[in-house]
Amino acid sequence: MINIETKALPLTMTFRMQLRSFARAVLLRWVQFKHPGLRADLSSMIRDNLFARLLQGKYIVQDYLQKRPYKIIKYHGEFQQELLFTLPFAYWHHLNGTLRQTISCNGTKDLYFFSPEHLERFDKRTLSGTTSAFHIPNMTHSNRYSYRKWRQVPLKKQYANNIFVFEKPVLVIANKYNKEWSLPPINYFDPAILKEIITLCQDKFQIIYNRPLPKHIVEDNSEIFDLQEHEWIRQSFPGVILLDDLYHKHSEQVNSFNHLQLMVYANTNHFISVHGGTAALASYFGGTNIILSNPNYGRETLLGEYKTIFPRLSGARILHAHFREDIPALIEQHFLSNHASYLSQKTNQKAGLSQPKPQNLM
């Protein structure tokens, strides 16, 4: 007979865990009452966001009375959630004088440029790093967010430069090609739509194409596949610049691939991007961002996030393309008409953003 010794949890810890479980159960009932018929996963996410906000009550004295640097913010979950929730939370603490340290994944130092001490500790993003982030007031998808401890992070102002400036205004096509929700790729630009976008825009814009390769970024639970479009673009559209090529050319001038993205994006007012962290990053720089996001997958469309937190990141105008075939009409209407240029300027003026003066043309 094998005897297995078990160690009981301290009584205070057991009580605390039971209290947390009870509070989450009560909040879930409240969400179900307020939103009858809502999908179970969405109800749970809204509940988790409410619970995370309640937990912030523990820090009232430190955040609003003592106001000394104490806050250590650690995150290694999905990139979109880091951009939507964690980075603005950390920036609020920076402005509040209470930020002590930030800890995240490799290549994130330049995102946290304001942090007094940033550590790059993780080489892999995990789903558990997302679902357990209750120390962040907004921790997951929701129909409503709290902006009490959330501030716009001025990435455009911080990284605007005179290096990546061209004769024509820049249009960034931000693509991805990876597994989504354990399924084959769903939200991505295939060669057919890429050809149509480039053909439409190449006369008016300097197009920069960006699909980060596995060697450039920290991967999560979504396997990255090879679309094999880079060489095709080089051969078929020599006027299009690949961000991968810029990275090879300027590797000694930038800290990481993420740093290069920030510098190029900071000089851009026109983006066409795809669902996920790709779209979230492109929403940080004002101007207009056309986002391809299939409404039959994910939670952003169901919870209205392209009308709430995405434009809040920088004041950008977010245009939601449900399907690939929606994109050309949005380009014609918002990027190629004279009125589109005026609207883009007004959007940046409203957000307090300006463009650098050309000095070093490439």
Side-chain angles (χ1 to χ4, degrees):
M1 183 176 180
I2 301 175
N3 292 321
I4 300 176
E5 293 185 5
T6 58
K7 191 173 183 180
L9 291 172
L11 186 60
T12 53
M13 184 179 295
T14 302
F15 176 74
R16 192 180 301 122
M17 291 172 63
Q18 291 175 341
L19 186 61
R20 286 168 67 102
S21 296
F22 175 75
R24 294 181 72 200
V26 170
L27 285 172
L28 182 59
R29 292 290 186 185
W30 185 84
V31 171
Q32 291 170 338
F33 171 76
K34 292 287 289 184
H35 306 282
L38 191 64
R39 253 171 42 187
D41 61 326
L42 301 181
S43 296
S44 295
M45 288 179 168
I46 295 172
R47 179 273 314 273
D48 286 346
N49 255 18
L50 291 172
F51 182 65
R53 290 176 215 165
L54 286 177
L55 292 180
Q56 288 298 307
K58 297 189 299 183
Y59 308 109
I60 289 177
V61 173
Q62 291 155 294
D63 286 345
Y64 297 105
L65 298 178
Q66 296 175 341
K67 299 187 73 170
R68 293 192 292 266
Y70 81 96
K71 195 68 174 180
I72 298 175
I73 299 174
K74 181 169 68 174
Y75 185 84
H76 57 98
E78 295 180 353
F79 189 46
Q80 174 175 300
Q81 274 74 0
E82 180 162 26
L83 293 174
L84 293 182
F85 313 134
T86 309
L87 191 61
F89 177 57
Y91 192 63
W92 179 87
H93 272 285
H94 161 69
L95 296 177
N96 195 50
T98 45
L99 185 64
R100 176 181 167 187
Q101 184 186 74
T102 50
I103 305 169
S104 186
C105 299
N106 294 339
T108 56
K109 178 181 179 181
D110 297 291
L111 287 171
Y112 293 88
F113 67 89
F114 52 86
S115 176
E117 182 183 18
H118 183 71
L119 304 180
E120 296 181 347
R121 184 174 293 176
F122 305 102
D123 59 8
K124 185 79 173 178
R125 294 184 179 275
T126 65
L127 183 60
S128 63
T130 302
T131 57
S132 62
F134 288 102
H135 59 292
I136 311 294
N138 301 302
M139 60 163 293
T140 187
H141 298 285
S142 183
N143 62 335
R144 185 177 298 175
Y145 293 104
S146 170
Y147 299 102
R148 183 171 296 175
K149 294 184 179 181
W150 189 104
R151 291 294 182 272
Q152 282 186 5
V153 185
L155 294 180
K156 191 177 187 81
K157 181 179 179 180
Q158 178 69 20
Y159 291 105
N161 60 88
N162 294 315
I163 299 175
F164 302 107
V165 181
F166 305 87
E167 293 181 357
K168 293 186 286 188
V170 172
L171 165 64
V172 167
I173 302 174
N175 200 8
K176 69 175 183 179
Y177 189 59
N178 58 259
K179 185 183 292 185
E180 297 180 81
W181 305 287
S182 300
L183 298 170
I186 296 167
N187 296 290
Y188 69 97
F189 302 131
D190 61 13
I193 192 64
L194 283 174
K195 181 179 180 181
E196 192 167 358
I197 292 171
I198 293 170
T199 302
L200 275 172
C201 299
Q202 62 184 348
D203 291 339
K204 181 173 180 178
F205 295 99
Q206 173 57 64
I207 299 173
I208 297 180
Y209 179 76
N210 181 26
R211 183 177 66 81
L213 303 176
K215 63 182 179 181
H216 293 148
I217 58 176
V218 175
E219 295 186 61
D220 54 19
N221 59 327
S222 301
E223 182 183 356
I224 297 176
F225 304 115
D226 189 359
L227 190 57
Q228 299 182 341
E229 83 288 16
H230 281 185
E231 190 57 36
W232 168 73
I233 291 175
R234 291 188 186 101
Q235 295 296 325
S236 302
F237 301 99
V240 174
I241 297 173
L242 273 63
L243 203 68
D244 183 51
D245 293 341
L246 281 183
Y247 186 54
H248 286 295
K249 185 175 181 179
H250 296 275
S251 58
E252 295 184 359
Q253 295 174 267
V254 297
N255 301 325
S256 65
F257 189 80
N258 272 342
H259 186 204
L260 175 66
Q261 288 188 112
L262 295 174
M263 292 184 70
V264 171
Y265 285 24
N267 288 359
T268 306
N269 288 324
H270 302 83
F271 298 87
I272 306 174
S273 62
V274 295
H275 179 107
T278 305
L281 183 62
S283 300
Y284 257 90
F285 299 90
T288 300
N289 184 15
I290 298 174
I291 299 176
L292 172 64
S293 179
N294 191 314
N296 298 317
Y297 300 89
R299 287 99 176 183
E300 290 82 354
T301 303
L302 291 172
L303 295 172
E305 293 177 356
Y306 295 128
K307 297 180 180 179
T308 56
I309 196 164
F310 272 80
R312 189 112 181 191
L313 290 170
S314 67
R317 182 170 49 143
I318 305 300
L319 304 174
H320 180 196
H322 289 202
F323 306 103
R324 294 186 189 94
E325 52 266 31
D326 299 334
I327 295 172
L330 290 173
I331 291 174
E332 291 276 7
Q333 181 180 354
H334 298 282
F335 285 177
L336 300 181
S337 69
N338 293 329
H339 188 55
S341 177
Y342 170 77
L343 286 176
S344 180
Q345 293 176 9
K346 294 297 286 184
T347 300
N348 282 328
Q349 290 172 6
K350 185 177 180 181
L353 306 172
S354 60
Q355 285 298 292
K357 298 179 180 179
Q359 288 186 6
N360 299 323
L361 299 180
M362 297 181 58

